[in-house]
Amino acid sequence: MLVFKVYVNPDLKEERDKVIFNVEEFTNWFHGGSDKVKEKRFLENYVLSDPQLQSDVDSSYLSHKEKYEEAIRRVVVVLRRLEKLQSEGHQINDLYVKVLGGLPVTNVLKEGHPLVTHMGMFIQSIDLLGNEEQKAEWYEKASRCKILGTYVQTEMGHGTFVRGIETTATYDPKTKEFVINSPSIRAYKWWPGGLGHTVNHAVVFAQLYSLGKHHGLQPFMVQIRDYETHMPMKGIIIGELGNKVGYNAVNNGFLGFNNVRIPLKNMMMKNAKVLENGEFMKTNSPILTYLVMTQTRVGIVRGMAEYLMKASTIAMRYSLVRRQSPIDPNSPEPKIIEHVTQQMKIFPSIAKVFAIKYAADNLIDLYYEVSADMKNGNLSRLPELHALSCCLKAVCTDEAARTVQICRLACGGHGYLNSSGFNDIYGNIVAAQHYEGENTIMNLQTARFLMKVWKQALNNEELTPNLQYMKNFIQNKGRRSHWDESVDGIIRAFQSATAGKVSLAYKHIEERKKFCSIEQATSQTGIELAKAAELYCQLFMLQSLANSIKNGVRQVSPALGNVLKNILELYAVDLAIKSLESLLQFVDISSADIERLQNKLESALKAFKINAIGIVDGFDIPDTVLGSTLGAYDGDVYKRLLEQAKKSPLNQEDVNKSFHLYLKPFMKSNIVGPTRRQDVI
Amino acid sequence: MLVFKVYVNPDLKEERDKVIFNVEEFTNWFHGGSDKVKEKRFLENYVLSDPQLQSDVDSSYLSHKEKYEEAIRRVVVVLRRLEKLQSEGHQINDLYVKVLGGLPVTNVLKEGHPLVTHMGMFIQSIDLLGNEEQKAEWYEKASRCKILGTYVQTEMGHGTFVRGIETTATYDPKTKEFVINSPSIRAYKWWPGGLGHTVNHAVVFAQLYSLGKHHGLQPFMVQIRDYETHMPMKGIIIGELGNKVGYNAVNNGFLGFNNVRIPLKNMMMKNAKVLENGEFMKTNSPILTYLVMTQTRVGIVRGMAEYLMKASTIAMRYSLVRRQSPIDPNSPEPKIIEHVTQQMKIFPSIAKVFAIKYAADNLIDLYYEVSADMKNGNLSRLPELHALSCCLKAVCTDEAARTVQICRLACGGHGYLNSSGFNDIYGNIVAAQHYEGENTIMNLQTARFLMKVWKQALNNEELTPNLQYMKNFIQNKGRRSHWDESVDGIIRAFQSATAGKVSLAYKHIEERKKFCSIEQATSQTGIELAKAAELYCQLFMLQSLANSIKNGVRQVSPALGNVLKNILELYAVDLAIKSLESLLQFVDISSADIERLQNKLESALKAFKINAIGIVDGFDIPDTVLGSTLGAYDGDVYKRLLEQAKKSPLNQEDVNKSFHLYLKPFMKSNIVGPTRRQDVI
């Protein structure tokens, strides 16, 4: 970030001056090169400087309805801005993804916007689910926003278990139409972004019936609102879901069908079709669609890293400005970062950004490898890819939710204020815990894969390279493994523990199977299975981080390289301590080892202290994106807190009307009040 | 709860019919007797049936300003309702506490109300801090709401470390006035409830200066707004803080003083006074004030249990209604409670209600004992009381925040909706993590006590009965203690681990002391100290629960007694597994022991399953208090979800104006849009 002669809180400046590495070098490495950083800064500035995006009143003060209206206004401003950029001849790859799919708009569209599913899923779904004629008809219309749509699958009564979906599409050969119907209110579609009042099209998943036969879940393109009046089409029952923990501008909606008729050509026919006579034909394997889920999950995981970049930047900067509680009774109050307990909150949160980011990067690398394998007809690594995408979605969203709260609490009372920025970050992170698959079920899907792997390992079948440790555990006959506290040693310990947990879960299923079905036995072993999947995921994250950092160290200056190694060590040791419960069960760790590990953690914190501000500065999040009174670059926290408070709509008048309406008459009404002294709360 | 012939979801009814104990017996035991239950139900019904509290639009849809206005209206309605009750001759002890200090109003005043600090602290503070004349002047006025006030201590720059407060009160003997001043914006008072626009008085803490000498922090009564016009008084800079994670109707405010003059008699003189000539005199020890903090913290801890009663009721009932994911592939989708992973989320959450409630109850018992001791001049147990109140505040608010999120996630996507009820519960719980002392500092205060205790133990001085285990650990020479998995065995394991952690922290401070001051050494040992305090607290909670349940079992029928024992076992085993990291360091637990413990947990879950719905029903929270679509007594979840969604203000019109204003012109404007297929998010 280029900053010219602006006021900076001296306490913060002092710490910045101590940083031993070149922050810009880190920024360039972290964001993939100086060209990308330049482009990122250009885009942030170009989009966010639009005068129509400046506003003195934070949208969080608005009513629910006003929030929606303001988000529609703003997202159109952003889209027009991108259009202007293109019309000016700027050639920027993946422009829409870069601006609308990442951090840049998270402060001007704090609670999301109603076109998110149009941009993120509807357009793609035409490409993925439509045949050539259908793509010709709808793709360009959708990508040029001539029609707006959403992706409609989940129902009020059916989420992660897709087969349970109840909405029906019954083919009527007489009129060559499908009749779409909601057999109960439980079958009402529920959740799609923009569905409430925004879009006029939807790709709807329904159980297909033709000639009296059921042909499974199929997608259909349905026009749900009139192009001119925007009124709901005949038979469409529609609205939004009401307010939520966050994402209150996304216009999540419900949709009921009362025998809605759509033409035959509106079934999305890439993978299956219905002929005019009602005959059903499968044409393609939907495996590609399945693969795309991985991309969606990588997107979610990346988002978690980005939100934690914001959260840790805020908490870190505030920790250098806030002074509290003298360490020596006669000394002045120190910067709160001087308290090791504060370091313990902030530094591992910063390290977590790296672990989550590189897990996503490694998963996408695997995705490309598997895609290439598939083109050569080799599907052998698809299950591993799927298993990793499941548990990473679950573990990373859970970790992010925990971490943003640690950061918020690390800012004391002020963290509770919306102006700190944490509340919106939390709302967005938590959404990802709830959507795209329930997290426990995600972990259990991964565990199912691990059970298969274990069986293969027991049968001495070949395993993918990542999973060799399962065989080692067997060769080692499950003996408690030797402990050493290096990063590689911690990785080995996690390998033993993961294999150990997997083997125990497998054993318990085998034992239970004697008395019930394997499905029952698996279900009864759910707690252990979910835990095994979490460990497997933590191991993948640690390995990904270790690999990425080792690569990084080769690319950067020694000064920066040391900081990166420090981050890896901090992450690994902290994770080991937090996972001792699992490690101790399978690894020989003595009480003295634990003490040493604790010391190592404290040393890693100490080493990181001098550089931590450089790392969060190097994340390179401008104030216009960060949107935080506590985390702004200048550290002028108290002035900003007061300024923001003064902007509250309630503060625009000295006396609120409720005083005259309710309070004053009440105060003058001579009530009796609590009759005993104890009766005050 | 008396329920007559209403519709109940058959899935829920089926489970209720299986419960093996008498729910009403449990309710009566849990709430302290059938008279209390009767009174509770009468009050809930009397207050909440007021027509002026019925509303079709949830206040969460309102703008920030409207939320405030509506909360003022509602709290006045509630207060007038209580007045009416009194005027009708009902004699109810602690009426105001029972209604405004607990669950009854949590659904009609979801985000709190602006008189909370008036009712909860201002009135009391007159009693605690004023001399007899001052009480005569202000107490009745305050309790009868002729004046409204708040309690003003924290500043923007100074929270938990009270001595750092900067606001000054300088005595001017010429005019016999104090001049109150904020030397910087950092010194602006910050947070008091109702301060923004509601109250006209404040008890303000400021550094007293008289005759050029500093006399520490003292309280002053300041009128801040005019009685008739409600305009801020001269020199008063005032407003509210803006919106927050929750509690958005509390009207938390800021307050700056520009040389505000108040008469000499407005210094609150119970413990110290200034004579007309400026002479300062201490008159009383403020130890009583100090003791009152314990009561505040007990209140916070109790509140956590109450919020978790709501959260666990919602999640439990929903788990019997929601069906998802067949266990056997050809069976129908089971109630989600059939999945052990779901049981693992809900049942320990229910058990936590008991652990937190009884920790609060045990602390208040100790409070009364210590108060009685003090009257006899014995202050020996005051430090233990203070230490327990600190760590309980921290640990119970943290546990509650974790638990409400587990419950919310256990309800899948629907948990993210405000209509589920979790969001408001979360906002209120989290507030308690942030206020009344930063949680880590709370734990460190407890740890300071534990270090003193350890020194006493080493010197073989007498310890209070609760702390004998420290001596046992020393007598045992720190050897790893024997493990057994009974509740008493788990308690003993926690005793060893707590003593062990305390001894290690002590040892590390001693080692570090050789190189720095003891304060520095203590600060550097902060992470371990905080952990030791948490363990000490968990042990106190477990012991409190065990004692309370053992007492309970003697009072109730064998059927209910068994359920209570089941709850204790569930809590103890779950806690042991979650704390293995600490236990394994000091107790001889083998891998086989851990497997056995895991089995024991699964058995405890299984045993509890049949009775869980009876327990949450027995918490006896009527729908009017619960305020949840997912948790209502009748389990008619889907109908309620849709009904609530339809009430969203956005759903009151088919087409929102933003379509014509922004969307339609944009859709018709023929934009280029993303130019590459990959460029969709």
Side-chain angles (χ1 to χ4, degrees):
Chain A
M1 195 180 316
L2 295 169
V3 179
F4 301 100
K5 282 194 203 159
V6 288
Y7 168 84
V8 172
N9 184 311
D11 280 346
L12 191 45
K13 188 175 178 312
E14 181 186 38
E15 300 293 324
R16 287 198 172 114
D17 291 344
K18 287 185 203 158
V19 170
I20 60 165
F21 67 94
N22 182 316
V23 172
E24 190 75 6
E25 186 196 359
F26 167 70
T27 300
N28 288 333
W29 174 77
F30 186 78
H31 287 287
S34 61
D35 286 355
K36 290 204 175 153
V37 171
K38 230 169 162 173
E39 185 188 84
K40 174 184 104 66
R41 289 174 183 167
F42 166 75
L43 278 179
E44 286 162 352
N45 186 53
Y46 188 90
V47 173
L48 300 177
S49 63
D50 190 312
Q52 295 181 76
L53 293 176
Q54 315 313 315
S55 156
D56 240 16
V57 177
D58 194 277
S59 58
S60 59
Y61 288 114
L62 304 178
S63 72
H64 183 64
K65 194 172 162 196
E66 291 164 337
K67 278 183 190 177
Y68 170 72
E69 291 158 358
E70 176 65 5
I72 286 277
R73 187 187 75 77
R74 287 190 187 193
V75 72
V76 169
V77 170
V78 171
L79 287 168
R80 288 197 187 278
R81 195 80 181 157
L82 298 184
E83 184 68 13
K84 182 159 180 274
L85 190 66
Q86 287 174 309
S87 74
E88 287 169 356
H90 287 278
Q91 294 288 337
I92 294 175
N93 283 341
D94 302 329
L95 173 63
Y96 284 72
V97 178
K98 282 172 183 159
V99 173
L100 280 162
L103 282 185
V105 296
T106 50
N107 192 36
V108 291
L109 292 163
K110 282 186 182 178
E111 298 203 55
H113 63 81
L115 298 186
V116 63
T117 316
H118 172 79
M119 305 297 298
M121 292 180 83
F122 178 69
I123 304 175
Q124 254 193 335
S125 72
I126 296 170
D127 208 21
L128 278 167
L129 303 172
N131 62 23
E132 292 309 314
E133 301 87 69
Q134 292 175 321
K135 287 190 223 178
E137 181 175 355
W138 291 311
Y139 188 85
E140 195 183 312
K141 273 189 199 159
S143 69
R144 299 184 66 183
C145 298
K146 290 171 188 299
I147 58 173
L148 297 175
T150 189
Y151 182 92
V152 175
Q153 179 176 303
T154 300
E155 296 176 351
M156 214 196 299
H158 303 280
T160 308
F161 181 66
V162 176
R163 273 182 292 151
I165 280 174
E166 290 183 55
T167 302
T168 55
T170 310
Y171 183 62
D172 178 353
K174 274 179 286 183
T175 60
K176 303 191 178 81
E177 289 172 322
F178 294 101
V179 182
I180 306 203
N181 196 45
S182 311
S184 71
I185 62 163
R186 226 175 33 232
Y188 274 35
K189 296 296 182 180
W190 199 259
W191 284 119
L195 179 61
H197 302 85
T198 312
V199 302
N200 49 23
H201 279 75
V203 169
V204 175
F205 282 81
Q207 303 290 355
L208 170 62
Y209 289 87
S210 184
L211 306 177
K213 265 190 168 160
H214 177 218
H215 299 292
L217 206 62
Q218 302 293 342
F220 301 85
M221 177 70 81
V222 185
Q223 185 184 342
I224 54 177
R225 284 182 181 269
D226 183 82
Y227 293 136
E228 293 302 317
T229 65
H230 211 53
M231 284 295 287
M233 305 296 277
K234 200 183 149 211
I236 295 288
I237 303 141
I238 198 163
E240 67 116 14
L241 302 193
N243 51 12
K244 294 152 291 179
V245 178
Y247 271 138
N248 279 304
V250 169
N251 198 225
N252 298 97
F254 65 82
L255 175 58
F257 298 94
N258 186 4
N259 295 316
V260 172
R261 290 184 164 260
I262 58 167
L264 172 58
K265 72 172 182 57
N266 277 29
M267 173 171 160
M268 302 300 280
M269 301 214 194
K270 169 113 167 212
N271 299 324
K273 62 181 172 182
V274 169
L275 304 181
E276 286 198 355
N277 65 6
E279 200 181 324
F280 174 80
M281 292 173 66
K282 279 208 172 177
T283 49
N284 272 299
S285 145
I287 202 150
L288 197 69
T289 323
Y290 184 73
L291 201 61
V292 166
M293 261 198 321
T294 311
Q295 270 185 308
T296 308
R297 289 185 186 146
V298 168
I300 292 174
V301 174
R302 280 212 174 121
M304 296 300 103
E306 290 179 336
Y307 286 124
L308 290 190
M309 281 160 62
K310 287 180 85 164
S312 61
T313 299
I314 298 166
M316 182 63 216
R317 288 184 182 155
Y318 180 71
S319 300
L320 298 182
V321 169
R322 178 72 171 186
R323 289 174 168 276
Q324 164 120 8
S325 299
I327 291 173
D328 284 315
N330 299 318
S331 306
E333 293 181 89
K335 297 169 189 165
I336 52 178
I337 202 66
E338 299 298 326
H339 300 289
V340 284
T341 45
Q342 185 76 359
Q343 297 166 24
M344 190 58 214
K345 291 174 191 171
I346 315 279
F347 299 166
S349 301
I350 297 173
K352 208 155 279 176
V353 168
F354 292 82
I356 295 178
K357 174 182 156 63
Y358 291 116
D361 284 2
N362 274 263
L363 187 65
I364 203 81
D365 289 347
L366 185 64
Y367 168 83
Y368 287 125
E369 286 173 31
V370 172
S371 302
D373 285 357
M374 280 172 68
K375 281 189 191 129
N376 302 325
N378 174 2
L379 303 182
S380 65
R381 292 171 72 190
L382 194 61
E384 186 180 0
L385 179 68
H386 177 248
L388 279 169
S389 80
C390 289
C391 65
L392 273 176
K393 186 273 178 186
V395 170
C396 291
T397 57
D398 286 352
E399 285 284 342
R402 241 192 307 276
T403 307
V404 64
Q405 293 177 88
I406 290 170
C407 290
R408 191 190 66 216
L409 287 165
C411 295
H414 299 321
Y416 194 69
L417 293 169
N418 267 5
S419 79
S420 70
F422 291 115
N423 194 30
D424 289 307
I425 299 173
Y426 176 78
N428 295 343
I429 286 177
V430 163
Q433 288 183 288
H434 285 274
Y435 65 51
E436 285 295 316
E438 202 276 327
N439 279 356
T440 304
I441 298 183
M442 291 292 98
N443 280 327
L444 290 175
Q445 288 193 8
T446 303
R448 196 172 309 152
F449 162 76
L450 293 172
M451 289 303 100
K452 282 188 196 141
V453 167
W454 189 252
K455 200 172 177 184
Q456 289 166 344
L458 286 177
N459 294 337
N460 209 14
E461 291 171 34
E462 210 177 321
L463 300 182
T464 62
N466 288 334
L467 292 162
Q468 283 309 318
Y469 62 85
M470 300 277 188
K471 285 199 175 174
N472 300 345
F473 187 85
I474 293 172
Q475 277 154 17
N476 203 22
K477 301 197 174 123
R479 277 191 296 269
R480 291 163 74 82
S481 69
H482 174 71
W483 164 250
D484 87 87
E485 69 209 15
S486 68
V487 172
D488 287 337
I490 292 171
I491 289 175
R492 281 191 296 272
F494 267 89
Q495 290 176 334
S496 300
T498 304
K501 287 269 181 195
V502 166
S503 76
L504 276 185
Y506 187 90
K507 184 183 97 179
H508 293 151
I509 293 174
E510 290 297 308
E511 286 167 7
R512 287 177 166 132
K513 240 169 63 181
K514 293 172 199 156
F515 310 99
C516 60
S517 69
I518 178 160
E519 290 85 2
Q520 287 282 355
T522 305
S523 171
Q524 285 166 29
T525 314
I527 297 169
E528 281 182 271
L529 286 168
K531 236 178 194 168
E534 277 176 52
L535 261 184
Y536 166 72
C537 185
Q538 294 287 9
L539 171 58
F540 176 78
M541 289 174 70
L542 177 57
Q543 277 179 316
S544 299
L545 181 66
N547 294 340
S548 298
I549 294 256
K550 277 172 196 165
N551 280 334
V553 168
R554 283 195 290 272
Q555 296 158 9
V556 300
S557 66
L560 178 52
N562 284 334
V563 180
L564 297 182
K565 282 188 258 178
N566 185 194
I567 289 170
L568 172 60
E569 179 156 294
L570 177 58
Y571 181 80
V573 174
D574 178 47
L575 181 67
I577 291 178
K578 292 210 176 94
S579 313
L580 274 177
E581 169 210 333
S582 301
L583 301 186
L584 283 161
Q585 212 177 337
F586 302 98
V587 185
D588 252 332
I589 307 178
S590 68
S591 297
D593 291 330
I594 297 177
E595 254 196 273
R596 240 190 338 268
L597 199 62
Q598 184 65 39
N599 286 339
K600 204 168 174 182
L601 176 64
E602 292 181 13
S603 306
L605 293 174
K606 203 169 181 179
F608 191 57
K609 183 163 167 263
I610 200 169
N611 293 307
I613 183 66
I615 293 295
V616 299
D617 282 352
F619 288 154
D620 201 57
I621 307 172
D623 288 349
T624 48
V625 172
L626 195 61
S628 168
T629 47
L630 305 185
Y633 186 83
D634 64 12
D636 204 359
V637 165
Y638 299 111
K639 201 177 114 203
R640 285 176 184 274
L641 276 172
L642 191 60
E643 271 172 8
Q644 279 307 313
K646 284 185 174 168
K647 286 180 185 167
S648 161
L650 260 173
N651 287 333
Q652 305 318 306
E653 49 194 11
D654 283 320
V655 179
N656 180 273
K657 66 180 180 191
S658 61
F659 171 72
H660 296 289
L661 274 172
Y662 310 116
L663 272 187
K664 196 171 170 185
F666 175 66
M667 289 164 79
K668 302 223 177 244
S669 66
N670 206 27
I671 67 155
V672 175
T675 48
R676 306 184 340 144
R677 293 228 156 167
Q678 294 89 319
D679 191 11
V680 281
I681 301 156
Chain B
M1 197 178 315
L2 295 171
V3 179
F4 302 98
K5 282 196 204 157
V6 289
Y7 168 84
V8 172
N9 184 310
D11 280 346
L12 192 45
K13 188 175 177 310
E14 181 186 37
E15 300 294 325
R16 287 198 173 115
D17 291 343
K18 289 185 202 158
V19 170
I20 60 167
F21 67 95
N22 182 316
V23 173
E24 190 76 4
E25 186 196 0
F26 167 69
T27 301
N28 288 334
W29 174 75
F30 186 78
H31 288 286
S34 62
D35 287 354
K36 289 202 176 154
V37 172
K38 229 169 166 173
E39 184 188 84
K40 174 184 105 66
R41 291 172 181 168
F42 166 75
L43 278 179
E44 286 162 352
N45 186 52
Y46 188 91
V47 173
L48 300 177
S49 62
D50 189 312
Q52 294 182 76
L53 294 176
Q54 314 313 315
S55 156
D56 241 17
V57 177
D58 194 277
S59 58
S60 60
Y61 288 113
L62 303 179
S63 73
H64 184 64
K65 194 172 162 196
E66 290 163 338
K67 278 182 190 176
Y68 170 71
E69 291 158 358
E70 177 65 5
I72 287 276
R73 188 187 72 78
R74 289 190 186 192
V75 72
V76 168
V77 169
V78 171
L79 287 168
R80 287 197 188 278
R81 195 79 181 157
L82 298 184
E83 184 67 13
K84 183 160 179 275
L85 190 65
Q86 287 175 310
S87 75
E88 287 170 355
H90 288 278
Q91 294 287 337
I92 294 176
N93 283 341
D94 302 330
L95 173 64
Y96 284 72
V97 178
K98 281 172 184 161
V99 173
L100 279 162
L103 283 185
V105 295
T106 51
N107 192 36
V108 290
L109 293 163
K110 282 186 181 177
E111 298 202 55
H113 64 83
L115 298 187
V116 63
T117 316
H118 172 79
M119 304 297 300
M121 292 180 83
F122 178 71
I123 304 175
Q124 256 194 333
S125 73
I126 296 169
D127 208 21
L128 278 167
L129 304 171
N131 61 23
E132 291 310 314
E133 302 87 71
Q134 292 174 321
K135 287 190 225 181
E137 181 172 355
W138 291 312
Y139 188 85
E140 195 184 314
K141 274 188 199 160
S143 69
R144 300 184 65 183
C145 297
K146 291 171 186 297
I147 60 173
L148 297 174
T150 188
Y151 183 92
V152 175
Q153 178 175 304
T154 301
E155 296 176 353
M156 214 195 302
H158 303 280
T160 309
F161 181 68
V162 176
R163 271 181 296 150
I165 280 173
E166 291 184 54
T167 303
T168 55
T170 310
Y171 183 63
D172 178 353
K174 273 178 289 180
T175 61
K176 303 196 179 73
E177 289 171 322
F178 294 101
V179 182
I180 305 203
N181 196 45
S182 309
S184 71
I185 62 164
R186 226 175 32 234
Y188 275 33
K189 296 297 183 180
W190 198 259
W191 284 119
L195 178 61
H197 303 84
T198 313
V199 303
N200 50 22
H201 278 74
V203 169
V204 175
F205 282 80
Q207 302 291 354
L208 170 62
Y209 289 87
S210 184
L211 306 177
K213 264 191 165 158
H214 177 218
H215 298 291
L217 206 61
Q218 302 293 343
F220 301 85
M221 177 69 81
V222 187
Q223 184 185 344
I224 55 176
R225 285 182 181 269
D226 183 81
Y227 293 136
E228 293 301 318
T229 66
H230 210 54
M231 285 294 287
M233 304 296 276
K234 200 182 148 209
I236 294 288
I237 304 142
I238 199 164
E240 68 115 13
L241 301 192
N243 51 12
K244 294 152 292 178
V245 178
Y247 272 138
N248 279 302
V250 169
N251 199 226
N252 298 98
F254 65 81
L255 175 58
F257 297 94
N258 187 4
N259 294 316
V260 172
R261 288 185 165 259
I262 58 166
L264 172 58
K265 72 174 182 58
N266 277 29
M267 173 172 161
M268 302 299 281
M269 301 212 194
K270 168 114 167 211
N271 299 325
K273 62 181 173 180
V274 170
L275 304 181
E276 286 198 355
N277 65 5
E279 202 180 321
F280 174 81
M281 290 172 68
K282 281 207 173 175
T283 48
N284 270 300
S285 147
I287 202 147
L288 197 68
T289 324
Y290 182 75
L291 200 60
V292 167
M293 263 198 321
T294 311
Q295 269 186 308
T296 308
R297 288 183 186 146
V298 168
I300 292 173
V301 174
R302 282 211 172 123
M304 297 300 103
E306 289 178 336
Y307 285 124
L308 290 190
M309 280 160 62
K310 287 181 86 164
S312 60
T313 299
I314 298 166
M316 182 63 218
R317 289 185 180 154
Y318 180 71
S319 298
L320 299 183
V321 168
R322 178 72 171 184
R323 291 175 167 274
Q324 164 120 8
S325 299
I327 290 172
D328 284 316
N330 299 318
S331 305
E333 294 182 86
K335 296 170 189 166
I336 53 179
I337 202 65
E338 298 299 325
H339 301 289
V340 282
T341 46
Q342 186 75 359
Q343 296 167 24
M344 190 59 215
K345 291 174 191 171
I346 315 278
F347 298 166
S349 300
I350 297 173
K352 209 155 278 174
V353 168
F354 292 81
I356 295 178
K357 175 182 156 61
Y358 291 115
D361 284 3
N362 274 263
L363 188 64
I364 204 80
D365 288 347
L366 185 63
Y367 168 84
Y368 289 124
E369 286 174 30
V370 172
S371 302
D373 284 358
M374 280 171 69
K375 281 187 192 131
N376 303 324
N378 174 2
L379 302 183
S380 64
R381 292 171 73 189
L382 194 59
E384 185 180 1
L385 178 69
H386 176 248
L388 279 169
S389 79
C390 288
C391 64
L392 273 177
K393 186 271 178 187
V395 170
C396 291
T397 57
D398 286 352
E399 285 285 340
R402 243 193 305 278
T403 306
V404 65
Q405 292 177 88
I406 291 170
C407 290
R408 192 191 63 216
L409 287 165
C411 295
H414 299 320
Y416 193 68
L417 294 168
N418 267 4
S419 79
S420 70
F422 292 115
N423 193 30
D424 289 307
I425 298 173
Y426 176 78
N428 294 345
I429 286 177
V430 163
Q433 286 184 290
H434 284 275
Y435 65 50
E436 286 295 318
E438 202 276 326
N439 279 357
T440 304
I441 299 183
M442 290 293 98
N443 279 327
L444 290 175
Q445 287 193 10
T446 304
R448 196 171 311 153
F449 162 76
L450 293 172
M451 290 303 100
K452 283 188 198 144
V453 168
W454 190 251
K455 200 172 177 183
Q456 290 166 342
L458 286 176
N459 294 336
N460 209 14
E461 291 171 33
E462 210 178 322
L463 301 182
T464 62
N466 287 335
L467 291 161
Q468 282 309 317
Y469 62 85
M470 300 278 187
K471 284 198 175 173
N472 299 346
F473 187 85
I474 293 171
Q475 276 154 17
N476 203 21
K477 297 194 177 129
R479 276 190 297 268
R480 290 162 74 80
S481 68
H482 175 70
W483 164 249
D484 87 89
E485 68 210 15
S486 69
V487 172
D488 287 337
I490 292 171
I491 290 175
R492 280 191 297 272
F494 267 89
Q495 290 176 334
S496 299
T498 304
K501 289 269 181 194
V502 167
S503 77
L504 276 184
Y506 187 90
K507 183 182 97 178
H508 293 151
I509 293 174
E510 291 296 309
E511 286 167 7
R512 287 176 165 134
K513 239 168 66 179
K514 293 172 196 154
F515 310 99
C516 61
S517 69
I518 180 160
E519 289 86 3
Q520 287 283 354
T522 304
S523 171
Q524 286 166 28
T525 314
I527 298 169
E528 281 181 271
L529 285 168
K531 238 180 191 164
E534 278 177 52
L535 262 184
Y536 166 72
C537 185
Q538 294 287 10
L539 170 58
F540 176 78
M541 289 173 70
L542 177 57
Q543 277 178 314
S544 299
L545 180 66
N547 294 340
S548 299
I549 294 256
K550 278 172 196 164
N551 280 334
V553 169
R554 283 194 289 272
Q555 297 159 9
V556 300
S557 66
L560 177 54
N562 284 334
V563 180
L564 297 182
K565 280 188 257 176
N566 186 194
I567 290 171
L568 171 60
E569 179 157 293
L570 178 59
Y571 181 81
V573 174
D574 178 47
L575 181 67
I577 290 178
K578 292 211 176 95
S579 312
L580 273 178
E581 170 210 334
S582 302
L583 301 187
L584 282 161
Q585 213 176 339
F586 303 99
V587 185
D588 253 332
I589 307 179
S590 68
S591 297
D593 289 331
I594 297 177
E595 255 196 273
R596 237 189 343 266
L597 200 59
Q598 184 66 37
N599 286 340
K600 205 169 175 183
L601 176 64
E602 293 180 13
S603 308
L605 292 174
K606 204 170 180 178
F608 191 56
K609 184 163 165 265
I610 200 169
N611 293 308
I613 184 64
I615 292 294
V616 299
D617 283 350
F619 288 154
D620 201 57
I621 307 172
D623 289 349
T624 46
V625 172
L626 194 61
S628 168
T629 47
L630 305 185
Y633 186 83
D634 63 12
D636 203 358
V637 166
Y638 299 111
K639 200 177 116 203
R640 285 174 185 274
L641 277 172
L642 190 61
E643 270 173 9
Q644 279 307 312
K646 285 186 173 168
K647 287 181 185 168
S648 161
L650 261 172
N651 288 333
Q652 305 319 306
E653 50 196 9
D654 284 320
V655 179
N656 181 273
K657 65 181 181 190
S658 61
F659 172 72
H660 297 289
L661 274 173
Y662 310 116
L663 272 187
K664 195 171 171 185
F666 175 65
M667 289 165 79
K668 304 226 175 238
S669 67
N670 206 26
I671 67 155
V672 176
T675 49
R676 307 182 339 141
R677 293 228 156 167
Q678 294 88 322
D679 190 11
V680 280
I681 301 153

